[in-house]
């Protein structure tokens, strides 16, 4: 609504001089819900902010019960209203009702509304807390085979075994781009390589390492787990290495004695677990954390419980697999369609029809359920001491939603009992509200409220580089609405630790998306992924990533300029010796800004400005305010940002601490004085600017 029509609206309804809707604010942060993570039985104080002497009454409606709020504090700019709820023991929801003259409006997670919308109300969830160490932490995702080869003695060798009809292959050229069919190609990255690069990660500013799966598995991605109890010796340490590889014309893995010895001999398995223990100790020694990838929806067909490849058959210490024998103790771990097809029954249910990914059948096996609970606890407990789990395709687990939720409630109980400070972070693409009610996941990989909106806004390209949408490119309404609705599906604590990625192993690299091309490895080829990329847009995206609420997560090599189409091309190796050092330094500087200002670590969020190809938002605490502006247009823009809504008074200074554009970036300070409640700035074409200021 334009200012003129707003004044008319206020006049018609006999309101106070002008109702300042922009000053109205609340969220579930520690400044507006006290305590922000209450225990059962705690009193909870809720706070609402308005412009000074601007409203007649504020009511907080909690589960339908109206609580009149008392004005407890008046400042030059704002009034603060509070009410205290006593002895809260169960989850409840609330919203605010504001009266000004004849006007009534409502406020919930979607901000000012003309009608209550219950599905977007704020929540109080007694007993739900998330790890403090994850709030605003900088994560770094490592696809282990492609990060660093620290121990060449554990490398896969050619013809070691057969995977999906092809002999596995050891890639000798570290810088070779992936083949279109890549899952059986191995570059040799391992846990020793991660250990070797911990000082690099610490210097970059990383707080948490997230490893793609590391357990025994025949693929390089390892989302087809073969043995949940042990680290894959190809990632760990091989101390017993006897046997033969397969002949060129032999596709029977039961004949691959070299592979069988490597991955089933307990000497190799125990030694590999020791390498993981060493890694965690080194990570913790540097003040960092490490989380693992849990693939519990399905196993792999190589799994010792299934044993379709017959590599465990007859091995001492291993029971017959469900594929091998009708009498297998693991038969009910999987769902078989034909009950008369044993021995070697191929009729099991594969996830999405993939016979290499047999779906786990929890509903018919309490033993399986209990074992995965044990695995969840094992790896976050001594001597392994991982700091949590990322859960693969977590919403798909089980054969019903009812069971899915039961399983994740049990998993949370088990993991938190073993390590109360462990994080439980799930892969999820859509609205995750039903899993984020305090008794299942802590948070999610943040596609809806991070990766997708910023990708569309800056590049117009879908996250796989499969589609270009000119109507999404630079569209502030789509950007803000997407962010608003998806953030509203999470509670505040979950937002604070949400994994905010620009790229990952399942999607194209963000730097490739900046070329605004539609393509994949098999259509345009690997070279095209690096053509016409826009480092200015990449810097803008990183500036956004480091200033938006949540846990900024760098996909290995993004900081060094790695490009790539979607999987498998996004799984290129880290370019040791060929890094883009300027981009690495930019990441270090932006991480320093992220950590150096409390507004970015824990501040509330306000949308300040939106026009074609230009957005601005604010972050603020009681003591500090920040403004971030992204201008992806090809022309300079003069903006008047209403910083009074952040608590910034007239004749105060805001300091620009970073400006980046298509040519580079500068950290030189520039001072901007606020006048008439505005911060007036000229934002160069294709740039991002970060301003900060003290409020007291």
């Amino acid at each position: 609504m334009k200012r003129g029509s707003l004044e008319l609206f206020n006049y018609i309804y006999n309101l106070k001089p002008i109702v300042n809707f922009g000053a109205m604010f609340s969220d579930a942060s520690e400044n507006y819900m006290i305590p922000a993570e209450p225990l059962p039985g705690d009193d909870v104080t809720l706070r609402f902010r308005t412009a000074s002497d601007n409203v007649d009454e504020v009511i907080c409606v909690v589960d339908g019960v109206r609580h009149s709020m008392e004005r407890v504090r008046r400042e030059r700019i704002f009034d603060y209203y509070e009410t205290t709820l006593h002895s809260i023991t169960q989850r409840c929801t609330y919203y605010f009702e504001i009266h000004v003259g004849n006007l009534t409006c409502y406020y919930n997670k979607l901000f000012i509304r003309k009608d209550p919308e219950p599905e977007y109300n704020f929540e109080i969830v007694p007993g739900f807390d998330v790890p403090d160490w994850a709030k605003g932490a900088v994560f770094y995702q490592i696809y282990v085979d492609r990060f660093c080869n620290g121990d060449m003695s554990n490398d896969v060798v050619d013809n070691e075994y057969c995977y999906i009809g092809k002999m596995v292959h050891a890639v000798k050229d570290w810088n070779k781009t992936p083949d279109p069919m890549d899952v059986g190609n191995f570059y040799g990255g391992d846990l020793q390589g991660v250990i070797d690069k911990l000082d690099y990660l610490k210097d970059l500013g990383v707080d948490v390492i997230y490893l793609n799966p590391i357990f025994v598995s025949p693929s390089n991605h390892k989302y087809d787990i073969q043995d949940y109890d042990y680290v894959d010796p190809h990632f760990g340490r091989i101390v017993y290495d006897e046997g033969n590889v397969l002949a060129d014309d032999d596709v029977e893995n039961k004949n691959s004695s070299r592979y069988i010895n490597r991955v089933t001999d307990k000497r190799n398995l125990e030694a590999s677990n020791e390498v993981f223990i060493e890694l965690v100790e080194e990570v913790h020694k540097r003040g960092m954390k490490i989380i693992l990838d849990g693939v519990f929806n399905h196993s792999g067909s190589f799994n010792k419980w299934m044993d379709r490849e017959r590599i465990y058959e007859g091995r001492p210490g291993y029971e017959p697999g469900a594929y091998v024998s009708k009498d297998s103790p693991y038969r009910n771990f999987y769902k078989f369609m034909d009950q008369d097809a044993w021995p070697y029954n191929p009729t099991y249910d594969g996830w999405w029809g993939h016979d290499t990914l047999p779906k786990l059948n929890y509903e018919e096996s309490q033993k399986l359920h209990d074992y995965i609970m044990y695995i969840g606890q094992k790896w976050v407990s001594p001597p392994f001491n991982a700091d949590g789990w990322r859960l693969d395709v977590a919403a798909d687990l089980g054969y019903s939603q009812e069971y899915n939720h039961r399983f994740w409630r049990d998993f949370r109980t088990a993991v938190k009992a073993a390590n109360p400070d462990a994080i439980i972070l799930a892969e999820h693409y859509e609205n995750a509200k039903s899993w984020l009610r305090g008794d299942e996941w802590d948070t999610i990989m943040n596609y809806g409220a991070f990766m997708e909106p910023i990708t569309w806004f800056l590049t117009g390209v879908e996250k796989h580089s499969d589609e270009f949408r000119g109507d999404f490119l630079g569209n502030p309404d789509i950007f803000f609405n997407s962010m608003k609705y998806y953030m509203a599906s999470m509670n505040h604590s979950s937002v604070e630790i949400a994994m905010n990625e620009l790229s990952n192993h399942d999607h194209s690299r963000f730097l490739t998306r900046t070329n605004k091309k539609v393509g994949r490895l098999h259509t345009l080829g690997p070279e095209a992924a690096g053509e016409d990329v826009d480092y200015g847009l990449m810097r803008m995206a990183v500036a956004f990533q480091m200033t938006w609420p949540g846990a900024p997560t760098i996909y290995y090599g993004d900081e060094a300029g790695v490009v790539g189409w979607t999987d498998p091309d996004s799984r290129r190796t880290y370019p040791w010796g060929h890094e883009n050092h300027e981009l690495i330094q930019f990441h270090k500087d932006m991480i320093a800004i992220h950590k150096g200002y409390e507004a970015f670590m824990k501040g509330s969020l306000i949308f300040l400005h939106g026009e074609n190809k230009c957005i601005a938002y604010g972050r603020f605490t009681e003591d500090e305010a920040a403004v971030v502006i992204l201008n992806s247009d090809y022309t300079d823009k003069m903006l008047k940002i209403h910083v009074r809504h952040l608590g910034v008074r007239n004749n105060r200074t805001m300091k620009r601490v970073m400006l980046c554009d298509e040519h580079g970036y500068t950290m030189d300070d520039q001072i901007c004085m606020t006048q008439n409640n505005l911060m007036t700035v000229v934002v160069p074409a294709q740039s991002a600017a970060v301003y900060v200021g003290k409020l007291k």
Side-chain angles (χ1 to χ4, degrees), residues 317-332:
Y318 293 98
E319 299 280 0
Y323 170 85
V324 173
S325 172
K326 186 175 184 176
D327 298 322
S328 168
Y330 312 120
R331 174 179 165 181
N332 290 337

Side-chain angles (χ1 to χ4, degrees), residues 236-524:
R237 185 174 294 135
I238 297 173
V239 295
Y240 174 69
D241 199 16
E242 302 295 331
N244 300 315
V245 300
L246 292 174
D248 289 339
D249 59 350
D250 186 358
V251 296
E252 296 289 340
N253 284 319
K254 65 180 182 178
N255 298 325
S256 177
S257 56
R258 182 82 173 273
Y259 179 69
I260 292 171
N261 286 331
R262 281 182 159 197
V263 299
T264 69
D265 190 282
K266 293 296 174 63
R267 288 169 288 184
N268 293 329
L269 297 172
E270 296 292 349
S272 296
N273 281 3
E274 286 296 324
V275 176
F276 180 73
I277 293 170
E278 294 169 19
L279 168 61
V280 175
E281 289 175 349
E282 291 298 322
V283 167
H284 288 168
K285 188 184 299 182
R286 290 164 173 80
M288 298 189 289
K289 305 286 186 180
I290 186 167
I291 68 171
L292 296 172
D293 212 322
V295 189
F296 304 130
N297 167 68
H298 54 271
S299 73
S301 58
F302 279 61
N303 192 286
K304 62 185 179 183
W305 300 333
M306 174 64 78
D307 197 21
R308 191 186 72 173
E309 304 299 313
R310 301 171 61 188
I311 65 176
Y312 294 95
E313 187 177 11
R315 297 281 296 178
Y318 293 98
E319 299 280 0
Y323 170 85
V324 173
S325 172
K326 186 175 184 176
D327 298 322
S328 168
Y330 312 120
R331 174 179 165 181
N332 290 337
F333 284 24
Y334 305 96
K335 189 183 287 291
F336 288 88
M337 310 310 169
D338 186 344
Q339 297 299 311
D340 297 314
W342 279 282
Y344 314 124
N345 189 340
T347 68
Y348 54 85
D349 180 25
W351 181 59
W352 281 30
H354 296 293
D355 64 359
T356 57
L357 303 174
K359 187 169 173 63
L360 291 168
N361 183 27
Y362 293 97
E363 284 90 336
E364 296 181 31
S365 178
Q366 186 66 33
K367 180 180 177 181
L368 171 62
H369 167 279
D370 293 347
Y371 199 84
I372 294 299
M373 295 302 124
Y374 159 74
I375 290 296
Q377 291 186 317
K378 170 180 177 174
W379 291 98
V380 300
S381 302
F384 303 107
N385 294 320
D387 298 292
W389 290 99
R390 177 267 189 189
L391 306 173
D392 184 58
V393 294
D396 288 6
L397 183 141
Y399 284 96
S400 70
Q401 283 295 291
E402 179 183 4
Y403 183 83
N404 181 282
H405 287 294
R406 177 197 147 189
F407 179 93
W408 291 124
R409 285 193 291 271
D410 292 349
F411 187 83
R412 181 182 186 85
T413 299
V415 169
K416 297 289 185 175
N419 183 348
D421 220 21
I423 192 171
I424 299 174
L425 186 158
E427 177 189 27
H428 193 71
Y429 285 87
E430 301 300 329
N431 188 318
K433 187 173 184 178
S434 62
W435 288 274
L436 296 175
R437 298 169 68 89
D439 57 352
E440 297 182 52
W441 308 338
D442 284 326
T443 192
I444 57 173
M445 298 178 75
N446 202 4
Y447 291 107
F450 188 79
M451 183 190 284
E452 291 179 340
I454 193 60
T455 291
W456 286 120
F457 182 80
L458 289 180
T459 74
V461 176
E462 183 266 345
K463 60 185 178 295
H464 288 284
S465 294
D466 280 345
E467 180 183 12
F468 177 81
R469 290 287 301 267
D471 55 332
F472 285 12
L473 177 63
N475 188 317
D477 294 329
I478 290 174
F479 174 83
F480 283 134
N481 285 333
S482 296
M483 287 295 193
K484 186 164 56 176
Y485 279 91
Y486 276 102
M487 290 178 80
S489 71
M490 296 186 272
N491 57 53
H492 189 84
S493 293
S494 296
V495 171
E496 286 186 297
I497 63 171
M499 185 179 278
N500 290 346
E501 292 188 291
L502 296 171
S503 317
N504 63 30
H505 61 290
D506 285 328
H507 306 94
S508 58
R509 294 273 182 170
F510 189 89
L511 185 55
T512 288
R513 274 176 251 152
T514 66
N515 66 18
K516 303 178 183 176
K517 294 178 181 178
V518 172
R520 289 202 174 204
L521 180 60
H522 67 278
T523 60
L524 297 184

Side-chain angles (χ1 to χ4, degrees), residues 2 52 111 159 263 274 311 419 538 577 593 648 678:
K2 295 180 179 178
S52 182
F111 313 119
N159 287 37
V263 299
E274 286 296 324
I311 65 176
N419 183 348
M538 183 70 190
I593 287 174
V648 181
L678 302 171

Side-chain angles (χ1 to χ4, degrees), residues 130-137 139 207-208 289 291 387-388 421-423:
V130 301
D132 282 338
W133 59 259
K135 295 176 181 178
F139 283 62
D207 300 306
V208 186
K289 305 286 186 180
I291 68 171
D387 298 292
D421 220 21
I423 192 171

Side-chain angles (χ1 to χ4, degrees), residues 426-687:
E427 177 189 27
H428 193 71
Y429 285 87
E430 301 300 329
N431 188 318
K433 187 173 184 178
S434 62
W435 288 274
L436 296 175
R437 298 169 68 89
D439 57 352
E440 297 182 52
W441 308 338
D442 284 326
T443 192
I444 57 173
M445 298 178 75
N446 202 4
Y447 291 107
F450 188 79
M451 183 190 284
E452 291 179 340
I454 193 60
T455 291
W456 286 120
F457 182 80
L458 289 180
T459 74
V461 176
E462 183 266 345
K463 60 185 178 295
H464 288 284
S465 294
D466 280 345
E467 180 183 12
F468 177 81
R469 290 287 301 267
D471 55 332
F472 285 12
L473 177 63
N475 188 317
D477 294 329
I478 290 174
F479 174 83
F480 283 134
N481 285 333
S482 296
M483 287 295 193
K484 186 164 56 176
Y485 279 91
Y486 276 102
M487 290 178 80
S489 71
M490 296 186 272
N491 57 53
H492 189 84
S493 293
S494 296
V495 171
E496 286 186 297
I497 63 171
M499 185 179 278
N500 290 346
E501 292 188 291
L502 296 171
S503 317
N504 63 30
H505 61 290
D506 285 328
H507 306 94
S508 58
R509 294 273 182 170
F510 189 89
L511 185 55
T512 288
R513 274 176 251 152
T514 66
N515 66 18
K516 303 178 183 176
K517 294 178 181 178
V518 172
R520 289 202 174 204
L521 180 60
H522 67 278
T523 60
L524 297 184
E527 292 78 14
E531 294 172 355
D532 304 317
V533 297
D534 189 329
Y535 284 96
L537 284 180
M538 183 70 190
R539 282 187 285 269
M540 292 174 66
V542 174
F544 173 75
Q545 182 182 41
M546 297 298 165
T547 56
W548 192 257
T553 303
I554 301 167
Y555 182 44
Y556 80 101
D558 266 12
E559 80 279 16
V562 174
V563 297
W565 301 112
T566 198
D567 163 29
D569 200 36
S570 58
R571 302 170 181 184
R572 299 187 186 193
T573 53
Y574 188 100
W576 301 111
H578 308 282
E579 306 95 325
N580 183 324
H581 291 285
E582 182 183 2
L583 192 56
I584 291 174
Q585 186 60 49
F586 180 69
H587 276 80
K588 290 174 66 172
D589 288 336
M590 283 308 308
I591 289 171
I593 287 174
H594 169 77
K595 294 182 177 183
Y597 297 97
E598 68 172 16
F600 297 133
M601 290 293 289
K602 61 180 182 178
S604 297
L605 171 72
I606 286 184
F607 301 143
L608 294 173
H609 179 83
E611 62 180 85
N612 183 46
K613 295 188 176 182
C614 185
I615 54 174
Y617 54 91
R619 303 286 308 278
F620 67 97
T621 62
E622 290 275 306
D623 301 316
E624 191 173 82
V627 174
V628 182
I629 307 168
L630 306 182
N631 176 22
S632 61
D633 208 347
Y634 293 102
T635 60
D636 297 353
K637 292 184 182 292
M638 176 177 283
L639 301 181
K640 296 181 181 295
I641 305 296
H642 208 299
V643 292
R644 192 175 180 87
H645 295 159
L646 301 173
V648 181
R649 300 207 298 260
N650 284 332
N651 301 316
R652 294 296 181 93
T653 59
M654 295 289 286
K655 179 175 66 173
R656 192 191 73 194
V657 296
M658 194 284 301
L659 174 70
C660 64
D661 61 17
E662 58 187 325
H663 304 295
Y665 74 102
T666 178
M667 307 285 288
D668 293 342
D669 293 349
Q670 186 179 89
I671 301 300
C672 177
M673 184 73 72
T674 61
Q675 294 180 320
N676 300 319
N677 301 329
L678 302 171
M679 184 180 80
T680 302
V681 295
V682 175
V683 187
Q686 295 186 287
S687 72

